[in-house]
Amino acid sequence: MNSITVKAYAKINLGLDVIRKRPDGYHDVSMIMQSVNLYDTINIKKTKFQSITLRSNLYYLPTDRRNLVYKAVEVFQELHPIRSGLSIFINKRIPVAAGLAGGSADAAATLKGLNRLYQADLSLEDLMKLGLKLGADVPYCLLMGTALSEGIGEILSPLSPMPDCSLLLVKPDISVSTKFVYENLRLNEKTRHPNIQTMLDVLHEGNIYKLAPLMENILESVTIKEHPIIGDIKVKMKEREALAALMSGSGPTVFGVFDNHHKAEKAYRFFKSSGYGKQVILTKPYFPDDKFER
Ligand code: ATP
Protein backbone atom coordinates (compact mmCIF):
# COMPACT_ATOMS: atom_id res chain seq x y z
CA MET A 1 0.00 0.00 0.00
CA ASN A 2 1.39 3.37 -1.04
CA SER A 3 -1.24 5.77 0.16
CA ILE A 4 -4.35 5.94 2.31
CA THR A 5 -7.19 8.40 2.87
CA VAL A 6 -8.78 8.56 6.32
CA LYS A 7 -11.72 10.51 7.71
CA ALA A 8 -11.44 12.59 10.89
CA TYR A 9 -14.83 13.13 12.55
CA ALA A 10 -15.76 16.17 14.66
CA LYS A 11 -17.32 15.80 18.11
CA ILE A 12 -19.80 17.69 20.24
CA ASN A 13 -20.31 17.50 24.00
CA LEU A 14 -23.85 16.49 24.96
CA GLY A 15 -22.87 17.29 28.53
CA LEU A 16 -19.74 18.92 29.88
CA ASP A 17 -18.89 19.21 33.56
CA VAL A 18 -15.64 20.23 35.19
CA ILE A 19 -15.17 18.52 38.53
CA ARG A 20 -12.01 20.13 39.88
CA LYS A 21 -8.76 21.80 39.07
CA ARG A 22 -5.86 19.43 39.68
CA PRO A 23 -2.55 20.39 41.27
CA ASP A 24 -0.84 19.88 37.86
CA GLY A 25 -3.03 22.61 36.32
CA TYR A 26 -5.24 20.23 34.32
CA HIS A 27 -8.94 19.86 35.10
CA ASP A 28 -10.83 16.68 35.89
CA VAL A 29 -13.85 16.59 33.61
CA SER A 30 -16.96 14.52 33.08
CA MET A 31 -18.14 14.83 29.51
CA ILE A 32 -20.54 12.98 27.28
CA MET A 33 -18.99 12.98 23.84
CA GLN A 34 -20.72 12.38 20.53
CA SER A 35 -19.20 12.11 17.05
CA VAL A 36 -20.98 14.00 14.30
CA ASN A 37 -21.11 13.30 10.59
CA LEU A 38 -18.77 16.15 9.72
CA TYR A 39 -15.23 15.18 8.84
CA ASP A 40 -11.88 16.27 7.47
CA THR A 41 -10.15 13.91 5.05
CA ILE A 42 -6.47 13.20 5.36
CA ASN A 43 -4.52 11.69 2.52
CA ILE A 44 -1.20 10.12 3.55
CA LYS A 45 1.21 9.13 0.77
CA LYS A 46 4.59 7.41 1.05
CA THR A 47 7.38 9.17 -0.83
CA LYS A 48 10.96 8.25 -1.62
CA PHE A 49 12.30 11.31 0.20
CA GLN A 50 13.00 11.33 3.92
CA SER A 51 10.91 14.37 4.84
CA ILE A 52 7.34 14.91 6.01
CA THR A 53 5.48 17.47 3.93
CA LEU A 54 2.10 18.70 5.05
CA ARG A 55 -0.39 20.75 3.04
CA SER A 56 -4.00 21.75 3.58
CA ASN A 57 -6.83 23.57 1.83
CA LEU A 58 -6.71 26.32 4.51
CA TYR A 59 -3.92 28.84 4.06
CA TYR A 60 -3.95 29.77 7.78
CA LEU A 61 -3.46 26.27 9.15
CA PRO A 62 0.12 25.64 10.29
CA THR A 63 1.82 22.92 8.25
CA ASP A 64 4.86 22.42 10.47
CA ARG A 65 5.33 20.87 13.94
CA ARG A 66 2.49 23.03 15.29
CA ASN A 67 0.02 20.91 13.32
CA LEU A 68 -1.27 17.94 15.32
CA VAL A 69 -1.03 15.74 12.22
CA TYR A 70 2.71 16.38 12.10
CA LYS A 71 2.98 15.58 15.81
CA ALA A 72 0.94 12.40 15.28
CA VAL A 73 3.53 11.18 12.73
CA GLU A 74 6.29 11.86 15.25
CA VAL A 75 4.67 9.97 18.14
CA PHE A 76 3.67 7.07 15.88
CA GLN A 77 7.37 6.50 15.22
CA GLU A 78 7.91 5.82 18.93
CA LEU A 79 6.16 2.47 18.39
CA HIS A 80 6.73 1.78 14.71
CA PRO A 81 9.51 2.92 12.36
CA ILE A 82 8.53 4.89 9.26
CA ARG A 83 11.13 4.15 6.58
CA SER A 84 9.95 6.54 3.91
CA GLY A 85 9.04 10.14 3.47
CA LEU A 86 5.43 11.24 3.76
CA SER A 87 3.32 13.68 1.82
CA ILE A 88 0.12 14.51 3.69
CA PHE A 89 -2.83 16.58 2.55
CA ILE A 90 -5.52 17.67 5.03
CA ASN A 91 -8.83 18.70 3.54
CA LYS A 92 -10.38 20.63 6.43
CA ARG A 93 -14.14 20.89 6.67
CA ILE A 94 -14.41 20.98 10.46
CA PRO A 95 -14.33 24.63 11.58
CA VAL A 96 -10.99 25.43 13.23
CA ALA A 97 -10.74 26.45 16.91
CA ALA A 98 -14.46 25.87 17.27
CA GLY A 99 -14.85 23.45 20.19
CA LEU A 100 -15.37 20.57 17.75
CA ALA A 101 -11.97 18.94 18.36
CA GLY A 102 -10.92 19.25 14.73
CA GLY A 103 -7.19 19.10 15.46
CA SER A 104 -7.58 16.14 17.82
CA ALA A 105 -9.73 14.32 15.23
CA ASP A 106 -7.04 14.85 12.58
CA ALA A 107 -4.37 13.53 14.94
CA ALA A 108 -6.46 10.46 15.75
CA ALA A 109 -7.21 9.75 12.08
CA THR A 110 -3.53 10.14 11.20
CA LEU A 111 -2.54 7.56 13.83
CA LYS A 112 -5.12 5.13 12.43
CA GLY A 113 -4.05 5.85 8.86
CA LEU A 114 -0.36 5.24 9.62
CA ASN A 115 -1.25 2.05 11.50
CA ARG A 116 -2.91 0.72 8.34
CA LEU A 117 -0.45 2.15 5.82
CA TYR A 118 2.53 0.53 7.57
CA GLN A 119 0.59 -2.55 8.71
CA ALA A 120 1.89 -1.85 12.20
CA ASP A 121 -0.92 -3.78 13.87
CA LEU A 122 -1.02 -1.51 16.91
CA SER A 123 -4.14 -2.01 19.04
CA LEU A 124 -6.71 0.70 19.68
CA GLU A 125 -5.35 0.88 23.25
CA ASP A 126 -1.78 1.42 21.94
CA LEU A 127 -3.01 4.20 19.64
CA MET A 128 -5.00 5.79 22.47
CA LYS A 129 -1.89 5.89 24.69
CA LEU A 130 0.05 7.56 21.88
CA GLY A 131 -2.87 9.90 21.23
CA LEU A 132 -2.99 11.12 24.82
CA LYS A 133 0.50 12.56 24.32
CA LEU A 134 -0.99 14.81 21.64
CA GLY A 135 -4.05 16.04 23.52
CA ALA A 136 -6.71 15.07 26.05
CA ASP A 137 -9.43 14.60 23.38
CA VAL A 138 -7.34 12.43 21.02
CA PRO A 139 -8.10 9.09 22.75
CA TYR A 140 -11.82 9.80 22.39
CA CYS A 141 -11.37 10.77 18.73
CA LEU A 142 -9.87 7.30 18.20
CA LEU A 143 -12.80 5.61 19.95
CA MET A 144 -15.62 7.79 18.52
CA GLY A 145 -19.40 7.29 18.88
CA THR A 146 -21.13 8.11 22.19
CA ALA A 147 -18.79 7.92 25.18
CA LEU A 148 -18.21 9.19 28.70
CA SER A 149 -14.89 10.94 29.09
CA GLU A 150 -13.41 11.37 32.56
CA GLY A 151 -10.09 12.23 34.19
CA ILE A 152 -8.52 14.74 31.82
CA GLY A 153 -10.17 12.88 28.95
CA GLU A 154 -8.19 9.65 29.08
CA ILE A 155 -10.74 7.53 30.98
CA LEU A 156 -13.29 6.52 28.37
CA SER A 157 -16.42 4.42 28.64
CA PRO A 158 -18.47 3.67 25.53
CA LEU A 159 -22.19 4.46 25.99
CA SER A 160 -25.45 3.56 24.26
CA PRO A 161 -25.72 5.57 21.05
CA MET A 162 -27.54 8.87 21.40
CA PRO A 163 -31.03 8.80 19.86
CA ASP A 164 -31.45 9.77 16.21
CA CYS A 165 -31.86 13.51 15.62
CA SER A 166 -30.69 16.38 13.41
CA LEU A 167 -27.88 18.58 14.63
CA LEU A 168 -27.31 22.17 13.60
CA LEU A 169 -23.85 23.64 14.26
CA VAL A 170 -23.44 27.41 14.30
CA LYS A 171 -19.99 28.91 14.78
CA PRO A 172 -20.01 32.68 15.29
CA ASP A 173 -17.16 34.76 13.96
CA ILE A 174 -15.29 35.01 17.26
CA SER A 175 -12.27 33.31 18.78
CA VAL A 176 -12.38 31.75 22.21
CA SER A 177 -9.21 30.70 23.98
CA THR A 178 -9.65 27.34 25.71
CA LYS A 179 -6.99 28.40 28.23
CA PHE A 180 -8.90 31.60 29.07
CA VAL A 181 -12.16 29.70 29.56
CA TYR A 182 -10.70 27.14 31.97
CA GLU A 183 -8.72 29.78 33.86
CA ASN A 184 -11.83 31.87 34.41
CA LEU A 185 -14.13 29.05 35.44
CA ARG A 186 -15.08 29.54 39.10
CA LEU A 187 -15.72 26.31 40.93
CA ASN A 188 -17.13 26.54 44.45
CA GLU A 189 -19.99 25.09 46.46
CA LYS A 190 -22.46 27.44 44.74
CA THR A 191 -21.47 26.39 41.21
CA ARG A 192 -24.29 24.75 39.29
CA HIS A 193 -23.11 21.52 37.65
CA PRO A 194 -24.71 19.64 34.75
CA ASN A 195 -26.29 16.39 35.86
CA ILE A 196 -24.12 13.95 33.97
CA GLN A 197 -25.23 10.96 36.07
CA THR A 198 -28.90 11.48 35.14
CA MET A 199 -27.90 11.87 31.49
CA LEU A 200 -26.16 8.50 31.70
CA ASP A 201 -29.25 6.93 33.26
CA VAL A 202 -31.47 8.39 30.54
CA LEU A 203 -29.20 7.69 27.55
CA HIS A 204 -29.95 3.99 27.31
CA GLU A 205 -33.69 4.69 27.14
CA GLY A 206 -33.08 6.17 23.68
CA ASN A 207 -35.57 9.00 24.29
CA ILE A 208 -34.38 12.31 22.85
CA TYR A 209 -37.20 14.21 24.64
CA LYS A 210 -35.88 13.08 28.02
CA LEU A 211 -32.22 13.50 27.14
CA ALA A 212 -32.25 16.93 25.50
CA PRO A 213 -33.45 18.97 28.53
CA LEU A 214 -30.54 17.56 30.56
CA MET A 215 -27.86 18.73 28.11
CA GLU A 216 -25.63 21.40 29.66
CA ASN A 217 -22.11 22.76 29.43
CA ILE A 218 -20.57 24.32 32.55
CA LEU A 219 -18.11 26.35 30.43
CA GLU A 220 -20.95 28.51 29.08
CA SER A 221 -20.86 30.40 32.40
CA VAL A 222 -17.53 31.85 31.28
CA THR A 223 -17.95 32.22 27.52
CA ILE A 224 -21.44 33.74 27.39
CA LYS A 225 -20.36 36.50 29.79
CA GLU A 226 -17.45 37.25 27.48
CA HIS A 227 -19.29 36.67 24.17
CA PRO A 228 -23.06 37.32 24.51
CA ILE A 229 -23.58 36.22 20.88
CA ILE A 230 -23.27 32.62 22.10
CA GLY A 231 -26.29 33.20 24.35
CA ASP A 232 -28.14 34.90 21.49
CA ILE A 233 -27.57 31.91 19.18
CA LYS A 234 -28.93 29.58 21.88
CA VAL A 235 -32.09 31.69 22.18
CA LYS A 236 -32.59 31.84 18.39
CA MET A 237 -32.03 28.09 18.14
CA LYS A 238 -34.67 27.38 20.83
CA GLU A 239 -37.11 29.81 19.20
CA ARG A 240 -36.80 27.53 16.17
CA GLU A 241 -37.85 24.53 18.23
CA ALA A 242 -34.48 23.02 19.04
CA LEU A 243 -34.98 20.56 21.90
CA ALA A 244 -31.60 21.66 23.25
CA ALA A 245 -29.08 24.31 22.27
CA LEU A 246 -25.68 24.48 23.90
CA MET A 247 -22.06 25.26 23.34
CA SER A 248 -19.66 22.49 22.39
CA GLY A 249 -16.38 22.23 24.32
CA SER A 250 -14.97 25.64 25.21
CA GLY A 251 -16.82 27.13 22.25
CA PRO A 252 -17.69 29.13 20.41
CA THR A 253 -19.77 26.66 18.31
CA VAL A 254 -23.36 26.23 19.49
CA PHE A 255 -25.27 23.12 18.45
CA GLY A 256 -29.01 22.66 18.30
CA VAL A 257 -30.73 19.27 18.65
CA PHE A 258 -33.85 18.81 16.51
CA ASP A 259 -36.32 15.93 16.45
CA ASN A 260 -37.37 16.79 12.93
CA HIS A 261 -35.21 17.44 9.87
CA HIS A 262 -37.56 20.08 8.44
CA LYS A 263 -37.34 22.20 11.59
CA ALA A 264 -33.57 21.85 11.50
CA GLU A 265 -33.47 22.87 7.82
CA LYS A 266 -35.60 25.92 8.54
CA ALA A 267 -33.28 26.92 11.37
CA TYR A 268 -30.29 26.27 9.05
CA ARG A 269 -31.70 28.72 6.50
CA PHE A 270 -32.30 31.30 9.23
CA PHE A 271 -28.73 31.10 10.55
CA LYS A 272 -27.27 31.09 7.03
CA SER A 273 -28.94 34.40 6.23
CA SER A 274 -28.88 36.09 9.66
CA GLY A 275 -25.19 36.80 10.19
CA TYR A 276 -25.11 35.01 13.57
CA GLY A 277 -22.96 32.24 12.25
CA LYS A 278 -19.81 32.42 10.20
CA GLN A 279 -20.10 28.71 9.63
CA VAL A 280 -23.46 26.94 9.71
CA ILE A 281 -23.59 23.17 9.25
CA LEU A 282 -26.54 20.80 9.27
CA THR A 283 -25.53 17.28 10.27
CA LYS A 284 -26.37 14.18 12.33
CA PRO A 285 -24.76 12.08 15.04
CA TYR A 286 -22.19 9.65 13.67
CA PHE A 287 -21.50 6.10 14.79
CA PRO A 288 -18.38 4.30 13.59
CA ASP A 289 -18.48 0.93 11.94
CA ASP A 290 -16.47 -1.09 14.47
CA LYS A 291 -14.94 -3.42 11.87
CA PHE A 292 -13.52 -0.75 9.58
CA GLU A 293 -13.05 2.39 11.57
CA ARG A 294 -11.66 1.42 14.96
P1 ATP B 1 -10.86 21.43 21.17
O1 ATP B 1 -12.34 21.25 21.06
O2 ATP B 1 -10.08 20.13 21.31
O3 ATP B 1 -10.44 22.50 22.15
P2 ATP B 1 -10.97 23.06 18.91
O4 ATP B 1 -12.01 22.46 18.02
O5 ATP B 1 -11.42 24.19 19.77
O6 ATP B 1 -10.35 21.93 19.77
P3 ATP B 1 -8.99 22.94 16.83
O7 ATP B 1 -9.80 23.05 15.58
O8 ATP B 1 -8.46 21.60 17.19
O9 ATP B 1 -9.76 23.57 18.06
O10 ATP B 1 -7.80 24.01 16.68
C1 ATP B 1 -7.17 24.58 17.78
C2 ATP B 1 -5.80 25.08 17.35
O11 ATP B 1 -4.98 23.98 16.99
C3 ATP B 1 -5.84 26.01 16.16
O12 ATP B 1 -5.40 27.26 16.56
C4 ATP B 1 -4.91 25.41 15.12
O13 ATP B 1 -3.96 26.31 14.60
C5 ATP B 1 -4.18 24.28 15.85
N1 ATP B 1 -4.10 23.06 15.02
C6 ATP B 1 -3.05 22.26 14.92
N2 ATP B 1 -3.28 21.24 14.08
C7 ATP B 1 -4.52 21.40 13.62
C8 ATP B 1 -5.34 20.66 12.72
N3 ATP B 1 -4.90 19.58 12.08
N4 ATP B 1 -6.60 21.11 12.50
C9 ATP B 1 -7.04 22.22 13.15
N5 ATP B 1 -6.31 22.95 13.98
C10 ATP B 1 -5.06 22.56 14.24
Side-chain angles (χ1 to χ4, degrees):
M1 204 187 322
N2 221 20
S3 102
I4 190 165
T5 299
V6 278
K7 289 179 179 174
Y9 287 89
K11 65 86 186 148
I12 53 172
N13 301 92
L14 303 182
L16 195 162
D17 194 13
V18 180
I19 313 293
R20 69 182 77 82
K21 184 168 181 180
R22 307 174 2 154
D24 60 8
Y26 286 97
H27 289 81
D28 278 327
V29 294
S30 180
M31 311 191 283
I32 300 183
M33 322 285 282
Q34 175 63 54
S35 310
V36 297
N37 193 15
L38 163 69
Y39 54 84
D40 298 337
T41 50
I42 304 175
N43 176 261
I44 311 174
K45 220 181 272 165
K46 290 181 188 170
T47 67
K48 53 181 186 306
F49 310 109
Q50 278 309 307
S51 55
I52 304 166
T53 48
L54 200 60
R55 288 174 304 128
S56 96
N57 60 325
L58 298 182
Y59 69 89
Y60 52 84
L61 202 70
T63 49
D64 52 18
R65 281 205 161 73
R66 287 170 297 166
N67 197 302
L68 281 169
V69 167
Y70 202 105
K71 289 189 184 146
V73 175
E74 290 184 333
V75 299
F76 182 81
Q77 294 183 83
E78 290 174 14
L79 292 191
H80 192 89
I82 292 182
R83 293 199 186 87
S84 71
L86 286 174
S87 167
I88 302 178
F89 185 81
I90 312 170
N91 189 28
K92 278 223 75 87
R93 296 166 67 235
I94 305 173
V96 175
L100 300 171
S104 304
D106 289 354
T110 303
L111 291 175
K112 277 187 200 171
L114 292 171
N115 197 28
R116 281 182 220 146
L117 188 62
Y118 290 95
Q119 294 169 355
D121 225 12
L122 301 178
S123 66
L124 181 61
E125 285 67 33
D126 289 335
L127 295 178
M128 283 160 94
K129 271 187 214 140
L130 284 182
L132 188 61
K133 298 183 181 192
L134 303 169
D137 280 345
V138 180
Y140 164 73
C141 290
L142 284 152
L143 182 70
M144 302 194 283
T146 315
L148 175 67
S149 165
E150 296 172 295
I152 63 163
E154 82 287 16
I155 307 169
L156 291 166
S157 319
L159 299 171
S160 313
M162 86 171 288
D164 185 36
C165 60
S166 291
L167 297 167
L168 181 60
L169 314 182
V170 177
K171 181 188 175 274
D173 192 9
I174 52 172
S175 303
V176 175
S177 147
T178 303
K179 195 164 171 271
F180 173 88
V181 175
Y182 275 94
E183 276 175 5
N184 286 277
L185 178 67
R186 296 282 159 263
L187 293 176
N188 56 43
E189 57 293 344
K190 287 203 206 113
T191 309
R192 193 194 132 77
H193 288 268
N195 198 339
I196 301 293
Q197 187 52 54
T198 310
M199 288 186 80
L200 297 175
D201 295 341
V202 161
L203 242 179
H204 70 265
E205 291 179 37
N207 183 335
I208 195 72
Y209 303 101
K210 277 193 176 175
L211 184 66
L214 296 166
M215 294 183 186
E216 245 183 283
N217 179 344
I218 197 170
L219 300 178
E220 286 180 352
S221 59
V222 182
T223 43
I224 295 182
K225 227 182 277 162
E226 203 66 20
H227 303 285
I229 190 170
I230 294 172
D232 298 342
I233 295 172
K234 281 170 55 109
V235 170
K236 296 290 169 200
M237 200 79 94
K238 287 194 182 139
E239 282 173 4
R240 277 152 192 84
E241 293 183 71
L243 300 175
L246 66 157
M247 192 176 78
S248 184
S250 54
T253 304
V254 173
F255 67 91
V257 177
F258 292 84
D259 61 350
N260 170 307
H261 191 67
H262 295 294
K263 288 179 197 165
E265 264 184 342
K266 234 170 124 184
Y268 169 83
R269 284 195 294 274
F270 165 76
F271 281 108
K272 269 294 216 194
S273 59
S274 68
Y276 279 104
K278 183 161 188 245
Q279 281 149 303
V280 185
I281 297 158
L282 187 52
T283 183
K284 282 190 137 319
Y286 177 76
F287 301 98
D289 179 328
D290 277 3
K291 266 207 295 275
F292 298 108
E293 296 189 70
R294 281 189 177 150

